Amino acid sequence: MNIRKAVFPVAGFGTRFLPATKAMPKELLPIVDKPLIQYAAEEAIAAGIDTLIFVTGRNKRAIEDHFDANNELETMLRAKGKDAQADMVRNILPTGIECIFVRQAEQLGLGHAVLCAERALGGDPFAVLLADDFLTDYAPGVTADLAQAFESSGKLQLSVMEVDGPDISKYGVVVPNSAGAGIAGLVEKPDANAAPSNLASIGRYVLTPDIFDTLRGLGAGSGGEIQLADAINIHAQQGSVETVRLNGRRFDCGSVRGFMAASNHEFENRNF
């Protein structure tokens, strides 16, 4: 079955970027001339996805405005002979792409954010993209790799990368399967000296709708939140999760340092 829907959890406060994010969503902070969330949306579309589901929160209306038409701006630009810029505004998303916006009233974790999108997904398998993970230097993109792997096996798919040293404690970490097929589990943010491997799960997933029953049965996990990693761990123990190694480069734009590194990298590799 093809993956046609993607979920973008974008309800977070972005506190590491205050005061810039006091009134503007972190996901709209630009990497050079394009907001973070648009890069993620374009990656999903390149994977064949045509329905984008944004799980938003208070003060996130600007994300909806970004992906909406702006006839007044287009008219003004064309009146000034700036047709190329008007076309850019009109073509933020290609024709045929649908955007759905769902409100997460309380921030109760990534697992809860995904659960908020259940009705909009209509029982279909889906991708999840976290805009904080800026992935570049690879086409058609990581989501396309995950979708292809899912179409081959029908199992949940995680994008993973190798992380050595103490930073492994910042991630969900793969428990390898001794049989060599799939994974045996996923541990959320283990102590570095207790990590079961150096394979870290990053912010790209393909999930099946049975994940929702699992999420509903979870109690609060790490940080007192409903953790997606805990649900994936249960499915991994049942032998229904596989991993796909990351291609390209990843920048952690949830941190100021990672965001600046991504901006510098993109600037150096674009023609202006």
Side-chain angles (χ1 to χ4, degrees):
M1 186 174 185
N2 293 339
I3 302 298
R4 303 295 298 274
K5 298 177 181 178
V7 173
F8 301 84
V10 292
F13 289 120
T15 53
R16 294 182 185 178
F17 290 86
L18 286 169
T21 51
K22 179 176 180 290
M24 181 178 73
K26 174 186 64 177
E27 295 81 9
L28 290 183
L29 293 175
I31 299 293
V32 187
D33 59 351
K34 189 187 300 182
L36 264 174
I37 190 62
Q38 189 173 334
Y39 286 100
E42 290 174 354
E43 180 188 325
I45 292 166
I49 289 165
D50 58 16
T51 304
L52 312 181
I53 302 165
F54 299 89
V55 181
T56 69
R58 187 179 299 276
N59 296 328
K60 296 295 181 122
R61 177 62 186 270
I63 295 175
E64 184 172 349
D65 291 341
H66 177 73
F67 289 107
D68 199 2
N70 190 330
N71 294 327
E72 295 84 355
L73 177 58
E74 288 183 41
T75 299
M76 181 274 290
L77 290 170
R78 295 195 192 281
K80 294 185 176 183
K82 298 181 178 181
D83 289 332
Q85 289 173 299
D87 290 341
M88 182 188 304
V89 170
R90 174 173 289 277
N91 296 321
I92 290 289
L93 292 176
T95 301
I97 302 299
E98 180 181 8
C99 293
I100 299 172
F101 296 87
V102 178
R103 178 68 73 96
Q104 183 184 19
E106 283 187 273
Q107 292 185 35
L108 300 177
L110 178 57
H112 181 261
V114 171
L115 195 54
C116 289
E118 180 179 11
R119 291 186 180 181
L121 288 161
D124 294 329
F126 59 100
V128 176
L129 294 88
L130 308 186
D132 279 358
D133 279 340
F134 177 71
L135 306 182
T136 187
D137 296 0
Y138 174 67
V142 174
T143 300
D145 286 353
L146 294 172
Q148 184 177 22
F150 172 78
E151 289 162 18
S152 297
S153 72
K155 295 186 177 183
L156 281 70
Q157 302 292 330
L158 308 182
S159 181
V160 298
M161 60 181 284
E162 292 185 3
V163 176
D164 295 311
D167 281 351
I168 192 68
S169 64
K170 300 176 182 178
Y171 299 87
V173 180
V174 165
V175 179
N177 189 327
S178 59
I183 66 173
L186 187 69
V187 180
E188 179 69 4
K189 298 181 179 178
D191 290 338
N193 58 5
S197 74
N198 69 340
L199 283 182
S201 171
I202 65 167
R204 298 292 188 275
Y205 314 83
V206 166
L207 306 175
T208 50
D210 54 348
I211 197 77
F212 295 119
D213 287 336
T214 307
L215 287 167
R216 273 189 289 272
L218 291 177
S222 175
E225 300 179 331
I226 298 174
Q227 297 292 344
L228 180 61
D230 291 343
I232 292 172
N233 179 56
I234 291 171
H235 287 257
Q237 292 171 353
Q238 298 167 353
S240 59
V241 181
E242 297 176 338
T243 61
V244 176
R245 294 291 184 113
L246 173 71
N247 286 307
R249 292 195 61 177
R250 170 189 177 266
F251 295 89
D252 177 11
C253 289
S255 70
V256 174
R257 185 179 297 276
F259 181 85
M260 295 306 298
S263 297
N264 290 334
H265 175 81
E266 192 70 2
F267 180 78
E268 291 171 359
N269 288 276
R270 296 261 296 274
N271 295 319
F272 291 96

